[in-house]
Amino acid sequence: MDIPNLQPGQIIARGVMRYLKSLNFMSLLEFSPIRRKRVDVIALGPKGEIWIVECKSSRADFMTDEKWQDYLEWCDRFYFAVPQNFPTEILPPHHGLIYADGYGAEILKEGPETVLNAARRKKLTLKIARDANDRLSRLVELTGRYDMLSGD
C-alpha cells in the first residue's frame, strides 16, 4: 500500500483519524498538549472525552521513543496504533491497541479510562479548538480555498 509522500507513521495516523471520525471523534495530528511534547494524534470525542494515539510503525520506532509515557496525564484513554505486522508483544499490556493502515483502523483492545480533572480537560479542550482553528485558517490563507469554511 503506497500512499504518496507519507512516512510510515503518517500512514498509520491517517487510518487512525479516518477510523476515529467514524466514531464521531475529531482529531488533530502532531498536537502539543504542553511545550516540548507532541503527540501523534489527539482526538476529542462527542462527550468531550480526550484520547491520545501514538503511532508506531516498527520495533525500532517504539524502542527509541521514551516520551510517550509523558502523555498519559493528558488524556482519558491512551492507545498505540500499529500496522498488523507489528510485534505487539513489545508494547506495554495496560494500554489500548489499534491496528491501522492508510485507509482505516480498528481497536483491538480498549485503553483503560483515566478521567482527566475538570480544569485540565477545559484547558486542553480549548487548546485543541484554538490549534484546529489556527491550522484551518492558515490552510485557507495558503490555498485560497474559502469553501473549506462551510459548515455543511
Side-chain angles (χ1 to χ4, degrees), residues 1-29:
M1 165 210 19
D2 287 338
I3 299 174
N5 304 318
L6 293 182
Q7 299 297 316
Q10 294 169 323
I11 291 171
I12 294 167
R14 179 181 192 245
V16 166
M17 289 181 67
R18 286 176 161 206
Y19 175 71
L20 291 174
K21 175 110 171 120
S22 77
L23 300 178
N24 203 20
F25 277 74
M26 297 300 121
S27 305
L28 282 178
L29 293 172

Side-chain angles (χ1 to χ4, degrees), residues 43-106:
L44 183 60
K47 297 178 183 173
E49 62 267 47
I50 296 172
W51 292 1
I52 289 177
V53 182
E54 275 298 290
C55 301
K56 298 299 170 204
S57 59
S58 67
R59 174 186 289 273
D61 185 15
F62 175 73
M63 300 304 278
T64 58
D65 182 359
E66 298 176 357
K67 59 193 180 318
W68 66 264
Q69 295 179 45
D70 296 340
Y71 307 147
L72 300 176
E73 64 187 280
W74 295 96
C75 60
D76 296 304
R77 291 188 194 268
F78 181 87
Y79 293 88
F80 288 104
V82 299
Q84 285 192 353
N85 63 349
F86 189 93
T88 57
E89 67 276 1
I90 69 172
L91 297 173
H94 48 278
H95 298 298
L97 179 62
I98 298 172
Y99 275 164
D101 61 23
Y103 301 98
E106 80 174 286

Side-chain angles (χ1 to χ4, degrees), residues 88-149:
T88 57
E89 67 276 1
I90 69 172
L91 297 173
H94 48 278
H95 298 298
L97 179 62
I98 298 172
Y99 275 164
D101 61 23
Y103 301 98
E106 80 174 286
I107 294 176
L108 295 180
K109 184 174 79 171
E110 287 286 343
E113 186 174 28
T114 55
V115 179
L116 289 171
N117 73 49
R120 178 164 286 184
R121 179 179 311 285
K122 180 179 179 179
K123 180 179 179 179
L124 195 52
T125 301
L126 288 172
K127 185 169 182 353
I128 291 168
R130 292 181 58 80
D131 283 13
N133 178 271
D134 181 57
R135 291 178 189 192
L136 179 59
S137 296
R138 285 187 283 138
L139 182 62
V140 167
E141 184 67 29
L142 286 170
T143 64
R145 296 276 318 270
Y146 288 87
D147 58 309
M148 294 174 141
L149 299 176

